[in-house]
Amino acid sequence: MFSKKNRLSSAEFSRTIKKGKGYSSPALHVKLIKNSTGYIRIGVGVSKQLATRPTKRNYYKRILKNTLFAVLPEKDTPYDVVIIARESAGDKSFEELKKDAKDLLQKTPIFSK
């Protein structure tokens, strides 16, 4: 899992959503913005349209965090990343979400270095 320094605060989460560059797939949406900390920070969002119960939303958040942990590069890249699950993410398995996240993040500047 990600350490405390690798998590976004609510203000940083909002700033990334508002000012970040977006990348989309059918199941996921990623927003990212360069930061000055020198390491990557992560935020995960799941809407109430995907899961009305908080326990189910937390389940999807855990899946997305584990997916990001497996997919993100080992090197420290100075980006704030917010990943948001769309409604179609509820129909996918963990392996499908992992593949979708990897394909989506390949399009971003995190992997282009």
Side-chain angles (χ1 to χ4, degrees):
M1 251 330 148
F2 295 103
S3 65
K4 180 92 170 155
K5 76 171 192 169
N6 293 107
R7 294 183 215 150
L8 289 173
S9 69
S10 60
E12 295 160 343
F13 189 94
S14 297
R15 181 180 60 87
T16 304
I17 292 290
K18 287 180 186 171
K19 296 183 180 181
K21 177 138 173 63
Y23 300 89
S24 294
S25 73
L28 302 171
H29 184 72
V30 173
K31 288 271 202 165
L32 55 98
I33 191 169
K34 206 163 182 84
N35 67 31
S36 60
T37 60
Y39 49 86
I40 197 160
R41 295 185 298 187
I42 303 295
V44 176
V46 178
S47 72
K48 286 186 180 179
Q49 283 81 22
L50 175 60
T52 55
R53 303 197 63 131
T55 53
K56 198 66 171 172
R57 285 196 301 275
N58 290 336
Y59 169 76
Y60 284 116
K61 287 180 188 180
R62 282 194 309 272
I63 286 178
L64 289 174
K65 286 176 191 173
N66 285 330
T67 300
L68 286 175
F69 190 73
V71 167
L72 284 173
E74 297 276 329
K75 63 183 179 190
D76 284 333
T77 52
Y79 282 96
D80 291 342
V81 179
V82 173
I83 187 163
I84 301 166
R86 293 183 168 189
E87 287 185 51
S88 62
D91 302 334
K92 296 192 177 223
S93 69
F94 176 73
E95 290 301 319
E96 291 172 330
L97 279 175
K98 189 174 172 181
K99 183 184 179 320
D100 197 22
K102 185 170 185 171
D103 292 343
L104 182 59
L105 288 171
Q106 291 289 336
K107 299 176 188 176
T108 66
I110 294 173
F111 280 93
S112 65
K113 290 185 177 183

